[in-house]
């Protein structure tokens, strides 16, 4: 029992609720006994004040703009580490030493191929299918192809499922892309690093030699690191909730991918680039700023605002620098989209509406410009986010399954519908049911 308590008076009865401290961040009031002792639920639509679990993986201080993976600042991981190390760190809790990194890297390389029959699965889709819809389906299909690693109570099988996910998702994402554009699938090349192999599977064609540009590979590796995990966001919570029923891990990841696709979440990178293209030139910015501030207009500045960050998203700052390095490598000195984005950011950061509501650029604000410069079409942007986030999802899923206190997630509700009433026979029903 915690020493600190919070008193809650309900209908004249005072309850002492335990206050639990984490290592950082706000403490939580443990409301688990509330229903039993008072007959009341808590009400928190959108979970703005609810901690849904305990976790040791990622920490965010939204007011200060801090993001830590297992205690390490995102800036240091992005500058000094790489994505493979980040995967190891998220899964195991510590950075790997040289031998551990080599071993982990070889394991990830060993699993890059997809079952050959998987390629036929892609052919069932219409060529116009959005690659995210193919991703949702093919992640779900992994449970059909790799059912020898689905006993979630077995530590070894959980590890194998994690390795398979991290290894195969780039192959799957590249296949979704190749299918979408009507080019032949390119098999993985295990002589290459994780990101280099992915770029080759996306951009090589069988009739020509393909050389990976190291600046592009480094940029994409950093983008993957920035997106690897982000605490209990909507898609991660979806993965945890799906997993809490004991569902197989690949099906849970498919649920996470579906959730990520929405424009309020990972789909914002695609929506943001479309918005920048729509704005087109700097002189149109005031019109869009005015629309974003107008409550009668559903338009929002995509890539702006965050549920947790009430300060500059640290990932956006790094993304802005990646943007500059990729454009410089391409010899682009004046990219109209980048210029619109920088100007938009400046105007928004000095505008009273955005200051008052603490709306800052988020990770998606600059990512679309970089991904476009790397050669990806907008329809692939959220797929790349899903690829990188899959490690965070599986690390969070493992943490949940390994938690002895884990239970099926089952929120309750405030019911506001009809009270009990009797069935009405057809000829007695006076109005049409809308
Ligand atoms: N443009 C204009 N106004 C905004 C924006 C925006 N992008 N975001 C929030 N607001 C306003 C909103 O209208 C509301 O105003 P009021 O209090 O007067 O009603 C206030 O700010 C608070 O907004 P909210 O919707 O209650 O905040 P939320 O925490 O529920 O939403 C958000 C967070 C990210 C969904 C939202 O800021 C948004 O829609 N942003 C644009 C989409 C986007 O960039 N999403 C990517 C998020 S980062 C990557 C990821 O996590 O996937």
């Amino acid at each position: 029992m915690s020493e600190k308590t919070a008193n809650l008076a309900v209908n004249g009865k005072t309850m002492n609720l335990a206050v639990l401290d984490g290592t950082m961040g706000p403490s939580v009031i443990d409301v688990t006994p509330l229903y039993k002792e008072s007959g009341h639920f808590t009400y928190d639509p959108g979970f703005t004040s609810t901690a849904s679990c305990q976790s040791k993986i990622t920490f965010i201080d939204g007011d200060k703009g801090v993001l830590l993976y297992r205690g390490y600042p995102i800036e240091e991981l992005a500058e000094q580490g790489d994505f493979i190390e980040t995967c190891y760190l998220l899964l195991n809790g510590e950075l790997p030493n040289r031998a551990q990194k080599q071993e982990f890297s070889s394991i990830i390389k060993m699993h890059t191929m997809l079952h050959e029959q998987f390629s036929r699965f892609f052919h069932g889709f219409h060529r116009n299918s959005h690659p995210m819809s193919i991703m949702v389906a093919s992640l779900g299909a992994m449970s059909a192809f790799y059912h020898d690693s689905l006993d979630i109570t077995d530590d070894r099988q959980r590890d194998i499922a994690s390795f398979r996910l991290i290894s195969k998702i780039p192959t799957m994402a590249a296949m979704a892309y190749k299918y979408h554009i009507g080019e032949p699938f390119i098999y993985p090349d295990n002589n290459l690093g994780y990101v280099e192999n992915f770029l080759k599977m996306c951009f090589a064609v069988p009739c020509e030699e393909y050389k990976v540009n190291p600046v592009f590979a480094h940029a994409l590796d950093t983008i993957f690191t920035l997106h690897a995990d982000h605490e209990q966001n909507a898609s991660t919570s979806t993965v945890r909730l799906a997993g809490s029923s004991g569902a197989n891990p690949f099906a849970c990841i498919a649920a996470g991918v579906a959730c990520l696709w929405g424009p309020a979440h990972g789909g914002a990178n695609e929506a943001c680039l479309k918005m920048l293209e729509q704005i087109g030139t700097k002189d149109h910015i005031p019109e869009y700023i005015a629309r974003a501030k107008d409550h009668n207009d559903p338009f929002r500045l995509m890539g702006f605002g965050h549920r947790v960050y009430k300060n500059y998203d640290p990932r956006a700052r790094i993304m802005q620098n990646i943007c500059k390095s990729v454009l410089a490598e391409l010899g682009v000195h004046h990219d109209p989209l980048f210029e619109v984005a920088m100007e938009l950011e400046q105007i928004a950061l000095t505008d009273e509406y955005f200051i008052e509501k603490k709306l800052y650029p988020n990770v998606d604000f600059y990512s679309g410009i970089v991904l476009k410069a790397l050669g990806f079409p907008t329809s692939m942007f959220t797929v790349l986010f899903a690829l990188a986030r899959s490690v965070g999802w599986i690390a969070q899923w493992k943490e949940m399954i390994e938690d002895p206190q884990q239970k099926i997630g089952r929120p309750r509700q405030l019911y506001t519908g009809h009270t009990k009433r009797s069935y009405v026979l057809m000829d007695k029903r006076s109005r049409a049911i809308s």
Side-chain angles (χ1 to χ4, degrees):
M1 183 74 174
S2 161
E3 286 171 15
K4 286 197 274 177
T5 58
N7 293 339
L8 178 69
V10 184
N11 293 342
K13 184 182 166 197
T14 300
M15 295 176 57
N16 279 333
L17 298 168
V19 173
L20 311 177
D21 295 327
T23 46
M24 285 191 286
S27 301
V28 301
I29 300 169
D30 181 359
V31 295
T32 37
L34 185 67
Y35 177 59
K36 218 178 194 177
E37 292 183 22
S38 75
H40 286 66
F41 297 137
T42 55
Y43 180 60
D44 183 19
F47 306 119
T48 53
S49 297
T50 296
S52 60
C53 62
Q54 293 191 20
S55 180
K56 292 181 166 58
I57 303 178
T58 294
F59 174 79
I60 304 172
D61 183 333
D63 293 328
K64 295 193 181 129
V66 170
L67 168 61
L68 313 175
Y69 294 164
R70 301 283 192 182
Y72 295 105
I74 191 66
E75 293 84 355
E76 291 178 22
L77 290 167
E79 269 164 39
Q80 296 167 57
D82 62 30
F83 183 64
I84 280 293
E85 260 184 18
T86 302
C87 292
Y88 185 98
L89 174 70
L90 289 170
L91 286 170
N92 299 296
E94 295 299 335
L95 284 167
N97 63 27
R98 206 177 295 279
Q100 287 166 329
K101 184 171 176 183
Q102 206 160 13
E103 191 197 356
F104 183 70
S105 220
S106 338
I107 294 173
I108 297 301
K109 280 187 184 180
M110 228 165 59
H111 289 286
T112 49
M113 281 199 359
L114 284 178
H115 191 291
E116 191 55 21
Q117 216 162 327
F118 217 115
S119 61
R120 289 199 225 146
F121 181 79
F122 288 89
H123 289 279
F125 288 93
H126 193 285
R127 286 276 178 198
N128 287 345
S129 308
H130 194 290
M132 274 302 272
S133 64
I134 303 181
M135 288 302 281
V136 174
S138 42
L139 254 321
M142 271 187 81
S143 38
F145 282 92
Y146 302 101
H147 38 77
D148 59 333
S149 60
L150 296 181
D151 178 357
I152 61 165
T153 62
D154 180 329
D155 297 1
R156 183 73 195 132
Q157 293 196 35
R158 283 199 301 277
D159 283 345
I160 294 173
S162 313
F163 301 149
R164 281 185 168 147
L165 177 72
I166 298 167
S167 303
K168 292 182 197 303
I169 198 165
T171 314
M172 210 178 274
M175 285 170 87
Y177 173 55
K178 286 296 198 189
Y179 185 77
H180 183 58
I181 59 170
E183 284 186 5
F185 297 138
I186 303 290
Y187 282 101
D189 178 347
N190 289 352
N191 293 312
L192 297 176
Y194 189 85
V195 170
E196 289 81 355
N197 178 40
F198 176 62
L199 284 169
K200 183 176 173 194
M201 288 191 289
C202 286
F203 297 122
V205 285
C207 46
E208 277 173 34
E209 199 193 340
Y210 177 79
K211 275 214 172 84
V212 180
N213 178 318
V215 176
F216 292 178
H218 183 255
L220 195 58
D221 190 275
T222 312
I223 291 174
F224 286 174
T225 301
L226 297 183
H227 286 86
D229 196 43
H230 212 231
E231 207 225 57
Q232 307 310 320
N233 55 80
S235 56
T236 302
S237 300
T238 301
V239 171
R240 278 188 178 254
L241 192 57
S244 76
S245 72
N248 83 63
F250 303 126
C252 300
I253 301 296
V257 177
C259 177
L260 184 78
W261 194 1
H265 194 4
N269 52 14
E270 184 175 343
C272 181
L273 195 88
K274 286 183 181 155
M275 175 195 77
L276 293 173
E277 285 173 340
Q278 213 180 349
I279 296 175
T281 51
K282 290 184 197 173
D283 51 316
H284 291 130
I285 292 175
E287 180 196 325
Y288 284 86
I289 295 269
R291 286 188 59 194
K293 287 156 55 172
D294 180 358
H295 264 111
N296 298 317
D297 188 331
F299 175 80
R300 282 186 170 202
L301 269 195
M302 299 315 286
F304 256 80
H306 199 276
R307 171 63 62 81
V308 183
Y309 292 116
K310 301 301 166 201
N311 201 326
Y312 210 102
D313 178 342
R315 302 167 302 170
R317 216 182 291 282
I318 303 168
M319 198 63 86
Q320 195 193 61
N321 290 334
I322 300 174
C323 208
K324 286 180 187 157
S325 75
V326 168
L327 293 177
E329 173 67 11
L330 285 166
V332 177
H333 302 295
H334 297 290
D335 179 67
L337 289 185
F338 188 52
E339 282 167 17
V340 168
M342 300 263 282
E343 180 79 7
L344 187 63
E345 175 185 319
Q346 274 321 306
I347 295 178
L349 291 180
T350 48
D351 187 290
E352 209 33 60
Y353 174 91
F354 290 85
I355 295 171
E356 193 223 313
K357 295 189 189 307
K358 300 189 175 163
L359 299 170
Y360 292 85
N362 60 50
V363 70
D364 292 321
F365 191 62
Y366 288 105
S367 66
I369 302 174
V370 189
L371 297 176
K372 182 172 186 258
L374 292 178
F376 291 102
T378 42
S379 56
M380 277 297 285
F381 292 0
T382 316
V383 172
L384 297 170
F385 193 155
L387 188 168
R389 184 57 57 84
S390 58
V391 61
W393 288 329
I394 203 75
Q396 299 265 356
W397 171 82
K398 271 178 92 235
E399 183 178 61
M400 179 194 67
I401 298 293
E402 287 160 17
D403 178 353
Q405 290 181 343
Q406 186 266 325
K407 285 175 184 237
I408 185 168
R410 182 31 172 118
R412 301 305 301 268
Q413 64 177 6
L414 175 67
Y415 178 70
T416 56
H418 279 287
T419 51
K420 190 177 173 193
R421 52 186 174 157
S422 297
Y423 183 79
V424 181
L425 293 172
M426 183 63 79
D427 57 5
K428 299 239 165 79
R429 294 175 206 167
S430 51
R431 10 179 216 107
I433 296 167
S434 56

